[in-house]
Amino acid sequence: MISTIFANLHYFVAILLFLIGFHTMLTHSNLIKKIIGMNIMETSVFLLFISVGYVRGGNAPIIDDQISAYINPLPSALILTGIVVGVSLTAFALAMVIKIYEYYGTVNTDEIMRLRDGEE
Amino acid sequence: MIHLPLMLVVFYLAMAFITPLLGRLKKFSSRYFGVAVSAAGLLIVGATAFHVFDAGPFRYFPGNWASPVGIEIVVDEITVLLQLTIAVIGFLVSVYSVDDLDREIDERMHNWFYVIYFLMMAALNGLVMSFDLFNIFVFTEIGTLTACAMVAIKSKRVCLRAAINYLILSTLGSGMILMGIALIYMVTGHLNIGAVAQVLPEATEAFTWNVRIALSLFVVGFGIKSALFPLHLWLPDAHSSAPTPSSALLSGVVLKVFIVVIGRIVFQMFGVELFVQIPIPLVILTLATMGIFLGSLFAITQTDIKRMLAYSSVAQVGYIFMGIALVSARGATGGLLHIFNHAVMKSLLFTAAGAIIYKTGIRKIDDLNGIGYKMPLTMAAFGVGALSMVGIPGTSGFFSKLWLALGALDAGQPFFVLVIIISSLLNSVYYLPIIVRAFFGGGSGKFTMDQLPWKMLLPLVILAAINLYFGILPGSLVRLAEQAAAIWLH
């Protein structure tokens, strides 16, 4: 049992990080913390993706006669795109948080919900 | 000819890129530019559609790399149906927004509105034709970001609050979708939907839970983005506070595209057997039914007309999900029909409501007494949309409900016929009083012409005409939807 967990440690860590991020996004009322949770969640998937492509003892995929095993380069390439997507999401979310702070004077969703009465 | 599908996406992306540059010119009007670009997009989509009707569906490989290695773009009847919906609604809304934008959005932001609009069009068109999981993810993200930006662009605090809620819930969905893609890639080694579908039966035997969890993650992830009840929490705020052109696009088009992606992934990748085996259709049917009833009930209690329309979207999305989850050919036809019909009627209702707000500033339903005498054409168009929502014969809404009911009978679940009938009654409870109020609730009793700019009136009239046309002669549309549904279910 223990050895199985250790052999597949990266999967467990990825799932754990995913759940931590998910939990943070849903339960915290601070918008910045929500965004941090969003980043943790995305990073966990990146980790899972990269670890899927890793081959033990493999080398970087540059063809050479002396090397017999290469890692799978596709996940790395995909995750590069994924990181770009994640960065733009984070940037957009942070920009909106700045705006929200300007309008509401707080970044706490509970307080924002309380302030909504009397608008509209 | 054959490069058209890729050109469409590239064209919109290029236009998004040059709009801010053109904005530096003195005499540049982004609003007319938006109309021109949408018209060009409509032409490209129309040419693609004619090609598909003529020579049948085709596949396109960018850079000529064949399918497991390269990226695959598939242009079939589903793509055509959705792209036509997107292009027609997009074009009419862009005509409508020429005059409406002034009231809704700061003058400085007009160029940026069109940048977001073009990016969104590129993403939506890409979503309905890409056959590669990672492409779908990237387009989903672009679509989500631009949809949030379309809500946030109106610099009011209500909009910002709605947009950040939308963004956070959508990002949760994106995380789940990416996780699902990772799980599928882990067990199959492919990202192309067709290639995955080939090796998935074997993989399901070896890694049952991996595949099941991936399927659930996809359904929930896209369910958030398409506002499947109870994941709709972001929708009412976002769609009601957004500027009217955005509301029409978001409610009319954006939600549907994600439902179609669910359909593609479920039927063309996982296969019907697995879908039925873990009772996801049952779950979706239950949630859709609850969405249909509760969405309508919430809509009844609303006093703000745009909020009422937003809640009505929750109910209508329930119908489309029901069509997919019935797992019968006629049910799926009904769902796909409703995608087009609801896109037309919801954008019609939103633009009509927007026109009322533009002219009179009235947002409260109670204040609409006698508005039919001041704005007869607008309210007539609104009436067509409202009757279509209820499903009166002669409007297009009737036929999608008819096909859904037939699909429910085919699937051996007559209970859902009852659901459709009761929900139609509920729809009439909140749509008909508005028409009654408008024409019989007092007022001068003398009709005066609507005094709206013609650019706002024309899209309304055209949308109402499309609705009536397909309400009386639905043949061509039904055939297209049937062919599209046949790709998923035989």
Side-chain angles (χ1 to χ4, degrees):
Chain A
M1 179 67 195
I2 300 287
S3 61
T4 344
I5 290 178
F6 267 98
N8 296 309
L9 196 59
H10 45 285
Y11 297 140
F12 286 103
V13 172
I15 300 290
L16 189 69
L17 280 176
F18 187 83
L19 292 178
I20 290 172
F22 199 87
H23 185 258
T24 315
M25 273 184 95
L26 281 183
T27 54
H28 280 266
S29 58
N30 187 317
L31 282 172
I32 301 282
K33 285 188 184 166
K34 274 184 197 283
I35 294 171
I36 292 173
M38 172 176 115
N39 274 295
I40 294 175
M41 192 173 79
E42 279 184 337
T43 313
S44 77
V45 190
F46 297 163
L47 177 69
L48 184 69
F49 243 112
I50 295 284
S51 62
V52 165
Y54 181 68
V55 176
R56 207 166 284 267
N59 249 322
I62 302 163
I63 294 186
D64 192 327
D65 291 341
Q66 274 120 48
I67 298 167
S68 56
Y70 300 105
I71 64 151
N72 182 358
L74 183 68
S76 317
L78 292 178
I79 290 317
L80 208 55
T81 317
I83 289 171
V84 173
V85 170
V87 167
S88 40
L89 266 179
T90 312
F92 181 58
L94 286 174
M96 283 222 285
V97 171
I98 293 172
K99 274 282 180 192
I100 283 196
Y101 188 73
E102 271 176 25
Y103 281 98
Y104 286 92
T106 172
V107 290
N108 189 310
T109 43
D110 293 340
E111 279 178 41
I112 292 172
M113 289 313 265
R114 222 173 295 137
L115 285 171
R116 74 183 284 189
D117 304 325
E119 67 185 21
E120 281 162 320
Chain B
M1 186 64 194
I2 210 75
H3 294 294
L4 279 176
L6 189 66
M7 289 313 293
L8 182 63
V9 175
V10 174
F11 169 69
Y12 276 122
L13 286 178
M15 290 303 125
F17 182 71
I18 63 167
T19 307
L21 297 177
L22 288 174
R24 304 223 149 235
L25 300 175
K26 275 264 158 52
K27 281 195 168 166
F28 175 71
S29 162
S30 56
R31 290 174 283 176
Y32 290 102
F33 185 65
V35 176
V37 170
S38 310
L42 187 59
L43 283 181
I44 299 179
V45 169
T48 323
F50 273 115
H51 186 76
V52 171
F53 294 145
D54 231 29
F58 64 96
R59 274 143 209 277
Y60 178 81
F61 301 100
N64 263 343
W65 293 93
S67 96
V69 179
I71 290 165
E72 187 174 348
I73 285 175
V74 57
V75 184
D76 51 18
E77 283 85 359
I78 302 171
T79 315
V80 168
L81 178 68
L82 261 291
Q83 286 193 338
L84 281 175
T85 314
I86 297 167
V88 169
I89 305 292
F91 173 67
L92 292 174
V93 167
S94 73
V95 175
Y96 173 85
S97 40
V98 169
D99 283 313
D100 192 57
L101 271 195
D102 273 337
R103 187 184 60 82
E104 307 252 23
I105 303 172
D106 221 25
E107 179 81 39
R108 295 177 293 123
M109 301 301 281
H110 282 188
N111 288 346
W112 296 110
F113 176 81
Y114 282 97
V115 172
I116 295 167
Y117 169 71
F118 297 150
L119 283 176
M120 189 161 96
M121 284 289 149
L124 297 180
N125 281 303
L127 261 178
V128 293
M129 63 185 177
S130 68
F131 209 54
D132 179 278
L133 286 176
F134 204 75
N135 260 22
I136 287 180
F137 170 72
V138 173
F139 281 131
T140 305
E141 291 298 80
I142 303 174
T144 306
L145 268 181
T146 47
C148 292
M150 276 208 145
V151 178
I153 195 161
K154 194 172 166 182
S155 338
K156 282 172 72 177
R157 49 192 237 167
V158 197
C159 299
L160 279 169
R161 194 192 64 224
I164 196 106
N165 278 342
Y166 185 11
L167 185 71
I168 283 169
L169 278 170
S170 286
T171 324
L172 270 179
S174 309
M176 291 188 208
I177 293 164
L178 193 59
M179 195 63 165
I181 295 173
L183 289 175
I184 287 293
Y185 183 72
M186 217 164 99
V187 296
T188 61
H190 288 295
L191 288 168
N192 183 291
I193 290 182
V196 171
Q198 274 177 7
V199 291
L200 203 64
E202 271 174 61
T204 314
E205 262 172 46
F207 305 98
T208 319
W209 282 104
N210 251 348
V211 175
R212 287 182 178 178
I213 291 171
L215 174 55
S216 323
L217 284 172
F218 278 124
V219 171
V220 177
F222 284 111
I224 293 178
K225 289 171 190 289
S226 50
L228 173 64
F229 186 87
L231 309 170
H232 70 282
L233 294 169
W234 54 269
L235 185 142
D237 277 342
H239 287 192
S240 63
S241 64
T244 306
S246 311
S247 306
L249 282 172
L250 293 176
S251 253
V253 183
V254 178
L255 299 175
K256 319 308 171 36
V257 169
F258 292 121
I259 305 181
V260 167
V261 176
I262 293 186
R264 250 206 220 293
I265 286 177
V266 163
F267 292 122
Q268 286 175 270
M269 191 168 89
F270 286 100
V272 183
E273 290 82 22
L274 187 74
F275 186 46
V276 182
Q277 193 188 9
I278 32 174
I280 286 187
L282 193 68
V283 175
I284 296 183
L285 279 176
T286 316
L287 294 179
T289 310
M290 285 166 71
I292 289 170
F293 285 144
L294 292 174
S296 295
L297 288 177
F298 281 126
I300 290 171
T301 60
Q302 297 306 317
T303 53
D304 180 298
I305 187 161
K306 279 184 82 176
R307 250 185 120 69
M308 185 205 86
L309 292 174
Y311 270 110
S312 150
S313 279
V314 177
Q316 302 294 322
V317 159
Y319 285 122
I320 304 172
F321 268 107
M322 185 198 267
I324 286 176
L326 281 171
V327 197
S328 70
R330 282 203 280 190
T333 309
L336 287 165
L337 269 179
H338 205 60
I339 286 179
F340 179 82
N341 290 339
H342 180 246
V344 170
M345 49 201 185
K346 194 40 76 63
S347 30
L348 169 58
L349 291 170
F350 263 121
T351 43
I356 295 170
I357 298 169
Y358 176 86
K359 186 78 186 101
T360 61
I362 297 173
R363 283 187 75 117
K364 293 266 174 285
I365 294 171
D366 294 341
D367 300 341
L368 287 175
N369 287 338
I371 193 90
Y373 295 105
K374 273 185 244 157
M375 313 175 77
L377 261 179
T378 312
M379 281 318 291
F382 189 94
V384 171
L387 293 178
S388 182
M389 280 285 175
V390 181
I392 306 285
T395 55
S396 63
F398 171 69
F399 285 99
S400 35
K401 283 189 184 171
L402 179 65
W403 252 263
L404 280 174
L406 290 173
L409 291 178
D410 282 354
Q413 291 175 315
F415 169 70
F416 292 102
V417 181
L418 196 68
V419 170
I420 293 170
I421 293 171
I422 296 176
S423 74
S424 298
L425 290 176
L426 285 176
N427 285 346
S428 59
V429 170
Y430 57 92
Y431 276 120
L432 297 186
I434 297 179
I435 309 173
V436 172
R437 234 178 239 288
F439 287 106
F440 307 106
S444 56
K446 258 185 262 145
F447 286 104
T448 47
M449 202 43 204
D450 313 42
Q451 292 171 354
L452 271 179
W454 65 270
K455 285 169 229 116
M456 288 173 91
L457 218 44
L458 187 69
L460 280 174
V461 174
I462 294 177
L463 283 168
I466 294 176
N467 195 322
L468 289 174
Y469 176 80
F470 287 118
I472 296 161
L473 301 165
S476 50
L477 185 64
V478 170
R479 248 192 320 281
L480 182 61
E482 262 170 357
Q483 282 167 349
I487 297 169
W488 287 346
L489 296 157
H490 307 289

